[in-house]
Amino acid sequence: MSVRVRRIYEPPEPEDGLRVLVDRLWPRGIAKEAARIDEWPKALTPSTELREWYHGGGSYEEFRGRYEAELAAPEAAELLDGLRGTARGQRVTLLTASKTPEQSHAQVLLELLTG
């Protein structure tokens, strides 16, 4: 299984494989054509309330737990399973605008997909 996380602001690379935007909001300053997004499963992104709570000073550990609970909802769980199946056959690149992807929802998704 080959899954990685990259910032959406980095130029697309041929080895990205399936490019999946995992942010709920479209990233500022990026043209949709230039982003080369293959999928944008908004049900896999943190809720607006959770995102605002985390950016308001919430801890990463608590964010992670709350986000995993959101991902257990039927629609999100189905999308996560589908993405996991896709990743078995090809490289998947999770794209985020987060300045610290290693402490973001994208990292949680990466670990759930590869763990």
Side-chain angles (χ1 to χ4, degrees), residues 86-97:
T86 300
R88 287 189 189 108
Q90 65 178 309
R91 176 180 283 272
V92 173
T93 298
L94 305 176
L95 300 165
T96 181

Side-chain angles (χ1 to χ4, degrees), residues 22-99:
V22 294
D23 291 347
R24 186 166 296 264
L25 304 174
W26 188 262
R28 292 181 183 171
I30 298 289
K32 290 189 178 186
E33 302 78 37
R36 290 192 24 228
I37 300 300
D38 297 307
E39 294 185 15
W40 188 11
K42 292 182 184 178
L44 280 182
T45 66
S47 66
T48 299
E49 296 78 17
L50 180 56
R51 183 175 42 81
E52 289 174 352
W53 172 84
Y54 183 47
H55 292 296
S59 76
Y60 178 71
E61 299 310 320
E62 188 170 345
F63 166 78
R64 178 185 189 89
R66 290 181 183 192
Y67 181 44
E68 287 178 356
E70 288 186 356
L71 291 172
E75 183 181 5
E78 184 177 329
L79 285 169
L80 190 60
D81 285 343
L83 193 54
R84 190 176 287 118
T86 300
R88 287 189 189 108
Q90 65 178 309
R91 176 180 283 272
V92 173
T93 298
L94 305 176
L95 300 165
T96 181
S98 175
K99 292 179 182 175

Side-chain angles (χ1 to χ4, degrees), residues 5-27:
V5 172
R6 294 186 67 215
R7 292 197 70 225
I8 186 73
Y9 299 105
E10 298 173 41
E13 296 177 349
E15 58 271 10
D16 283 346
L18 184 74
R19 292 173 53 87
V20 181
L21 179 62
V22 294
D23 291 347
R24 186 166 296 264
L25 304 174
W26 188 262

